[in-house]
Amino acid sequence: MSALICGSFAFDTIMVFHDRFRNHILPDKVHILNVAFHVPDLRREFGGCAGNIAYNLKLLGGDPLPMGTVGEDFGPYAEWMDAQGIPRTHVTTVEGTYTAQAFITTDMDDNQITAFHPGAMDHAHRNRVEDASGVTIGMVSPDGRDGMLEHAAQFAEAGIPFIFDPGQGLPLFGGEELTRFIDLATWVCVNDYEAELLQERTGLSPHEMAERLQALIITRGAKGSEIYLPEHRIDIPPAPARELLDPTGCGDAYRGGLLYGLMHDLDWETTGRIAALMGAIKIEHHGTQNHRIDRAGFEARYHEAFGRNLCW
């Protein structure tokens, strides 16, 4: 029983500027902007939505099968995946390209300037859902535009239930395309900002979307999350974090928990709480794939957070 997770793999290069951008960017000179920031702190992390979601699902004991396109520089990431026991069966190397890369500079006010190079990600459509076997559930997460469109259609044609998770790829699509994604998908998962954009572009309210789905899941950060079912809404409380170190990748951690619950036919109350706790554990660590959990520790944190035992 595998989850085919279609999406991006990326290297995230994160730099810290020990000052404030506003002290060095003159508002009346932005038309001739030419600045350089000294960044003594730098780290390179393994990221991308498919990689992050697969990592979190694997931590929970699930069976992820990530699918994506990468560049000729993917070697260190491949070694990391092998060490974590995450299969690379459907990770395709595109010759003459780099793996997708984000270059993020953060200042002391937590403002960020990001440059993103899609690289091999734009070739995601080369992979096809039917190439994978033993798949019981799928996910279409941010990826190359053509890949997202084709993978959603392929999941539907194969009769494989899947989550549509547009993420930062949502602006790539118009209202008709997003409505079609909703009609093809079994579940949709977005954050609160994406939910607003999705409503604006499709003209559908959350309840109207839920009527076309088995569930619409909207995450709201520290406010928890909401699961809209065709008949009613379930409010999932946030899980308290012990430290707030790095929110990057919390949404992917949540989605890893969501997949685990769906794969094991858990009720929505439990599934939502597992997902929320995964997000809280992630935010306590820098980077998107540096947190660790074991079953006993997760069960203890679950009881601590929600006052109930975890039956999974």
Side-chain angles (χ1 to χ4, degrees):
M1 184 169 67
S2 298
L4 184 63
I5 305 166
C6 301
S8 61
F9 290 89
F11 290 112
D12 296 331
T13 301
I14 303 166
M15 298 158 281
V16 180
F17 176 51
H18 290 186
D19 200 339
R20 292 168 172 81
F21 295 142
R22 57 184 168 86
N23 294 336
H24 300 266
I25 298 176
L26 303 176
D28 61 338
K29 300 294 183 181
V30 293
H31 62 293
I32 53 170
L33 188 64
N34 187 354
V35 296
F37 301 110
H38 180 68
V39 287
D41 297 335
L42 180 150
R43 68 181 193 273
R44 197 180 195 212
E45 305 283 0
F46 302 125
C49 294
N52 293 341
I53 295 168
Y55 177 80
N56 284 280
L57 179 56
K58 186 69 176 182
L59 282 182
L60 286 167
D63 185 16
L65 190 60
M67 174 177 278
T69 43
V70 301
E72 294 177 336
D73 57 342
F74 193 66
Y77 204 146
E79 293 177 6
W80 168 254
M81 290 179 66
D82 292 346
Q84 308 311 309
I86 299 173
R88 294 187 286 115
T89 316
H90 300 290
V91 178
T92 303
T93 300
V94 180
E95 293 184 5
T97 68
Y98 289 106
T99 301
Q101 304 194 32
F103 300 89
I104 305 163
T105 303
T106 303
D107 74 357
M108 293 296 96
D109 288 331
D110 286 331
N111 296 309
Q112 291 186 330
I113 296 175
T114 301
F116 182 74
H117 172 67
M121 189 183 78
D122 282 344
H123 299 269
H125 55 281
R126 293 192 184 186
N127 287 325
R128 299 186 62 81
V129 168
E130 55 263 36
D131 294 337
S133 59
V135 174
T136 56
I137 190 171
M139 173 170 276
V140 174
S141 61
D143 208 350
R145 184 181 187 279
D146 291 344
M148 293 178 71
L149 288 166
E150 293 185 19
H151 294 153
Q154 290 163 13
F155 275 126
E157 184 177 347
I160 298 171
F162 74 96
I163 300 171
F164 175 51
D165 165 32
Q168 63 266 35
L170 196 152
L172 298 173
F173 305 102
E176 289 186 8
E177 291 169 320
L178 291 169
T179 300
R180 176 160 172 75
F181 274 122
I182 292 169
D183 288 338
L184 291 174
T186 314
W187 311 275
V188 169
C189 185
V190 289
N191 65 27
D192 46 2
Y193 175 80
E194 294 156 1
E196 293 290 338
L197 186 57
L198 195 58
Q199 290 180 69
E200 177 185 310
R201 295 202 173 182
T202 64
L204 299 171
S205 70
H207 290 289
E208 289 171 329
M209 291 183 214
E211 289 174 353
R212 297 170 178 242
L213 300 159
Q214 289 189 17
L216 166 69
I217 301 96
I218 301 177
T219 61
R220 299 190 180 278
K223 296 180 181 178
S225 53
E226 300 165 346
I227 300 174
Y228 289 82
L229 305 177
E231 307 83 11
H232 63 285
R233 189 183 84 187
I234 299 172
D235 293 328
I236 303 296
R242 294 170 179 169
E243 290 184 278
L244 304 177
L245 292 184
D246 183 4
T248 309
C250 287
D252 293 333
Y254 184 100
R255 284 151 180 76
L258 194 64
L259 274 174
Y260 182 89
L262 291 169
M263 293 174 75
H264 292 81
D265 295 320
L266 301 180
D267 61 78
W268 281 112
E269 295 276 1
T270 303
T271 296
R273 283 168 170 77
I274 289 174
L277 182 53
M278 288 299 293
I281 292 170
K282 164 46 240 43
I283 205 172
E284 298 168 355
H285 300 78
H286 289 292
T288 58
Q289 297 182 31
N290 294 322
H291 50 295
R292 299 285 190 275
I293 56 170
D294 59 42
R295 197 172 185 89
F298 192 81
E299 290 176 356
R301 285 288 299 270
Y302 188 95
H303 186 272
E304 175 186 328
F306 305 115
R308 60 175 72 177
N309 293 326
L310 175 57
C311 298
W312 56 345

